[in-house]
Amino acid sequence: MELEVFEAGRQNAGKPVVLCHGWPEHAFSWRHQVPALVEAGYHVLVPNQRGYGNSSCPADVADYDIEHLTGDLVGLLDHHGYEDATFIGHDWGAMVVWGLALLHPDRVDKVVNLSLPYQERGARPWIEVMEDALGGDFYFVHFNRQPGVADAVFEEDTHRFLRNLYRKNEPPAEPRPGMALIDLARAETPLGEPVMSDGDLAVFVSAFEKTGFTGSVNWYRNLDRNWRLLADVDPVVRQPTLMIHGARDAVRRPDEPSEFVPDVEVVTLDCGHWIQQELPEETNRAITTWLAKQDAV
């Protein structure tokens, strides 16, 4: 297994921060945060996680479960000789960081997660619950029950799909139906203001034209496997945690605080889902201010 990793601030060795991207993104999604974190005194490591960029893309679906994804991050720390680090995740990257804090708590010093709140394990597998509540067209369910279908649609025109997806959004009245992503991938006219420039968009498009989407979508196809893998794990995230939400994000935020994340501070920014790209300065300020406060304790 090989990870493509971008690095900055090596002169700050001893204060590592690992930035974990979401779906369907890339290490480049943290381009605005890296200089601010280096200036704040951190050694910044930004992996393209498995299935993305020039990192390995295994063929076996099970190779994308939470044990493998978190194991990659442990391996990254080992490679650099770090016992632990602050981990910052967005979207699916936040899911991996939550899992890392549970499966390898001694390797996680602090947690900063954007958009995706902690997901309580519950009594039934996640996809089963989503299917009952939201139906078979909900995209989490659709990815699992009809493997390969959505991947192929996204790859019909990678530029169009990502151009349509990376948009500022208003909070929906109801959760998005799953097939809306397929409709979005085929829509000729994008809705909403773009989150990034055409030049920045081209970086993401080029990466996914090379890899396709199956490796990244396979992360979703392990949700119920992850549910089983976490069965006997202490479910409480005990590290100091900062949770950043977008007020206009389609991902619903829960009531805070959570009994599963007792040491959490919550910040809400006036933006949609692509938080660190839509409001980079505000995101940087929230992260660096909180980290400075934690480091002063």
Side-chain angles (χ1 to χ4, degrees), residues 186-245:
R186 289 175 166 161
E188 293 299 330
T189 304
L191 299 176
E193 183 181 347
V195 169
M196 65 187 75
S197 69
D198 289 344
D200 286 347
L201 175 61
V203 175
F204 294 90
V205 172
S206 176
F208 282 101
E209 285 180 340
K210 176 182 177 182
T211 63
F213 287 90
T214 297
S216 62
V217 174
N218 281 343
W219 291 32
Y220 289 87
R221 296 181 176 126
N222 279 280
L223 272 171
D224 283 355
R225 180 179 174 85
N226 295 347
W227 181 87
R228 291 188 290 272
L229 289 171
L230 294 171
D232 298 320
V233 177
D234 178 0
V236 179
V237 174
R238 304 187 187 279
Q239 294 85 349
T241 300
L242 173 65
M243 185 70 224
I244 303 177
H245 294 288

Side-chain angles (χ1 to χ4, degrees), residues 3 16 31 37 46 56 69 78 106 130 132 138 185 191 202 226 230 250 261 280:
L3 287 184
R31 61 198 176 279
L37 287 166
V46 197
S56 297
L69 295 176
D78 290 345
D106 57 323
M130 291 179 191
D132 285 351
F138 185 63
L191 299 176
N226 295 347
L230 294 171
V261 191

Side-chain angles (χ1 to χ4, degrees), residues 67 103 145 204 217 269 285:
E67 286 189 344
L103 291 168
R145 302 298 189 237
F204 294 90
V217 174
L269 301 178
R285 189 178 308 116

Side-chain angles (χ1 to χ4, degrees), residues 87-90 93-94 97-98 111-116 242-244:
F87 284 85
I88 303 179
H90 169 251
V97 172
W98 293 128
V111 170
V112 179
N113 274 335
L114 284 65
S115 180
L116 190 73
L242 173 65
M243 185 70 224
I244 303 177

Side-chain angles (χ1 to χ4, degrees), residues 116-222:
L116 190 73
Y118 179 90
Q119 303 297 300
E120 180 181 351
R121 182 174 177 274
R124 298 166 58 206
W126 284 312
I127 295 299
E128 181 181 311
V129 171
M130 291 179 191
E131 188 167 24
D132 285 351
L134 301 169
D137 283 347
F138 185 63
Y139 69 105
F140 279 76
V141 181
H142 185 270
F143 288 168
N144 279 268
R145 302 298 189 237
Q146 300 187 50
V149 174
D151 322 24
V153 172
F154 301 154
E155 291 166 13
E156 289 174 2
D157 189 331
T158 299
H159 176 271
R160 183 175 62 195
F161 172 50
L162 296 179
R163 176 204 65 184
N164 293 350
L165 184 66
Y166 298 145
R167 297 275 157 173
K168 300 178 182 180
N169 56 285
E170 299 293 332
E174 298 294 338
R176 295 178 184 176
M179 298 305 289
L181 278 179
I182 288 180
D183 293 341
L184 184 72
R186 289 175 166 161
E188 293 299 330
T189 304
L191 299 176
E193 183 181 347
V195 169
M196 65 187 75
S197 69
D198 289 344
D200 286 347
L201 175 61
V203 175
F204 294 90
V205 172
S206 176
F208 282 101
E209 285 180 340
K210 176 182 177 182
T211 63
F213 287 90
T214 297
S216 62
V217 174
N218 281 343
W219 291 32
Y220 289 87
R221 296 181 176 126
N222 279 280

